[in-house]
Amino acid sequence: MSDTPEKLICGQCDLVLEIPRKEGHFVGYCPRCHNAVHHYRVRPSKVSLCYALSAIFFMFATDSLPFISISAAGIEQGMQVLDYTTVLGAQNMWAASFIIFLFMQLLPLLTLLTIIAGDLGKILGKRFFFMPLLLKILHFNVEWSMVEVFMVGILVSLIKLISLVSIQYGAGFWTFFAFAIFYLLAVSRFSEEEMWNFYVPHTKTPGSRIPESGIRAEPQDFCACSCCGEILDIRTETSCHRCGTGIRDRSSQSLGKTLAFTLAAIVMYIPANIYPMMITTYLGSDSESTVIDGVIVLWGMGSYFVASVILIASIFIPIMKILLLLYLCWSVKKLRKTRNRLFLSVIYRVVEFIGKWSMVDVFVVAIMATIVRVQNLMTIYAGSAMISFAAVVILTMIAARSFDPRLLWGYGRERKNAGTSRDTGEGTPEDRSPDENAVPESGKVPHPA
């Protein structure tokens, strides 16, 4: 084992850190911005493989077994979990059908196949040639998979229906929850870093420069690969020598892209609240309801919990995401007057975390429209606002991904400040404020004892 400590660059504050050699299960945090940067896991390949195999078994079982059936006035209507594709298609909602299928079925399946292939190769000692490509798209698949959001959507739909019709739960209902649990466990225990180190090991050229720990990477002319996390010397490299990803300065256009996607989300949010989200046909009479109408009706029916969930997911979270994204962009422009950069980093992580949860209402409408089709009695159709609302969620998620959190810590200042020494990495005084930039002398990643 080499005596040279392994290092990484924090993706949120650009600090160079050493990775201590530890055993057991821990999470390492950046001492500057408190972002989780490294995970110590016990036998990650074997554990995540077992979870992934279980998840994919329950996924196929869910797709083939009866999911839910309802009965009202002696009429029974059942559904399987994938019936929404044909039902929404028949209602000319092919775009919504594809979005749900992509987020709930296709991307989770690709994620599980990547985990299974990667873990099998690691355990068997075989380096599959296709694994680097799968690992490059794994992060996208995980981020945009919405299995847990769909699970909450099912629960909300059932609470809305339980007072209107009689509900019977099929075997597919229970296997879906087993699939969701094992999927989340497989993703949480899978180690991308271990996979990259196995399939494409680190290669160091003799005499190559090594970044100094405890200070930012940019003044030293280093950066982290946006795909595999490899530390790259931007003086001599134009692309990652491990995964082939080109080196690009995402910070240069970060604010412009974030503002553009955020403004687009604001535009789409208007029709999402004006036009009907759901149309209910009861005994031949149509009733349209917007998002806020659904909250009011549920509150009036005494379904306070469901009304609160819809209010938070469909009204509060989208507005909060938009406002927080605008605030982060404004904070970058006023950074010299901003002292609490750690607080801004926490805000960014909150925006990233809540990004997908607004999709709950879209899933609820899809489930309701699929299962409530009791002929001559009651039928639910998806409204035109469903597409607009899904667009709001997608646009805000893209806006959050476009924002470069390193800007909150003064990233890019050295290129504009001629008085800054790029070789020593001293930076400007405001970029090294003692209260927020202080790190351990060794620059090591701290971890729970």
Side-chain angles (χ1 to χ4, degrees), residues 298-353:
L298 288 169
W299 192 271
M301 295 171 55
S303 300
Y304 303 119
F305 174 76
V306 180
S308 300
V309 171
I310 298 298
L311 178 65
I312 293 173
S314 303
I315 304 296
F316 178 70
I317 289 182
I319 293 176
M320 184 174 71
K321 283 192 300 183
I322 290 172
L323 293 178
L324 290 179
L325 285 169
L326 293 175
Y327 176 68
L328 289 174
C329 292
W330 177 84
S331 298
V332 171
K333 290 296 185 180
K334 301 294 183 180
L335 194 60
R336 292 185 180 275
K337 299 180 181 180
T338 302
R339 304 303 301 172
N340 198 354
R341 300 179 186 182
L342 176 59
F343 175 70
L344 295 176
S345 294
V346 173
I347 289 179
Y348 173 74
R349 290 196 285 271
V350 169
V351 172
E352 271 197 318
F353 175 76

Side-chain angles (χ1 to χ4, degrees), residues 84 88 92-101 362 366 382 386-387 390:
Y84 65 83
L88 293 178
N92 294 322
M93 288 287 180
W94 288 108
S97 174
F98 172 76
I99 289 173
I100 298 173
F101 181 80
V362 175
M386 183 181 186
I387 299 296

Side-chain angles (χ1 to χ4, degrees), residues 279-314:
I279 304 172
T280 303
T281 301
Y282 183 71
L283 296 177
S285 177
D286 291 343
S287 175
E288 298 181 349
S289 60
T290 62
V291 175
I292 194 64
D293 289 337
V295 174
I296 295 173
V297 170
L298 288 169
W299 192 271
M301 295 171 55
S303 300
Y304 303 119
F305 174 76
V306 180
S308 300
V309 171
I310 298 298
L311 178 65
I312 293 173
S314 303

Side-chain angles (χ1 to χ4, degrees), residues 239-283:
S239 62
C240 179
H241 51 262
R242 183 156 72 161
C243 68
T245 302
I247 298 176
R248 58 186 179 89
D249 184 12
R250 58 181 286 234
S251 66
S252 60
Q253 300 179 344
S254 173
L255 291 183
K257 291 181 179 179
T258 302
L259 286 172
F261 285 118
T262 303
L263 292 176
I266 294 174
V267 173
M268 296 303 298
Y269 192 65
I270 297 174
N273 285 274
I274 293 177
Y275 292 104
M277 190 73 169
M278 190 166 61
I279 304 172
T280 303
T281 301
Y282 183 71
L283 296 177

Side-chain angles (χ1 to χ4, degrees), residues 409-430:
W409 297 88
Y411 187 86
R413 291 283 176 84
E414 282 73 14
R415 291 190 297 271
K416 301 177 182 179
N417 193 328
T420 299
S421 172
R422 298 182 62 86
D423 293 329
T424 63
E426 292 178 355
T428 57
E430 62 270 20

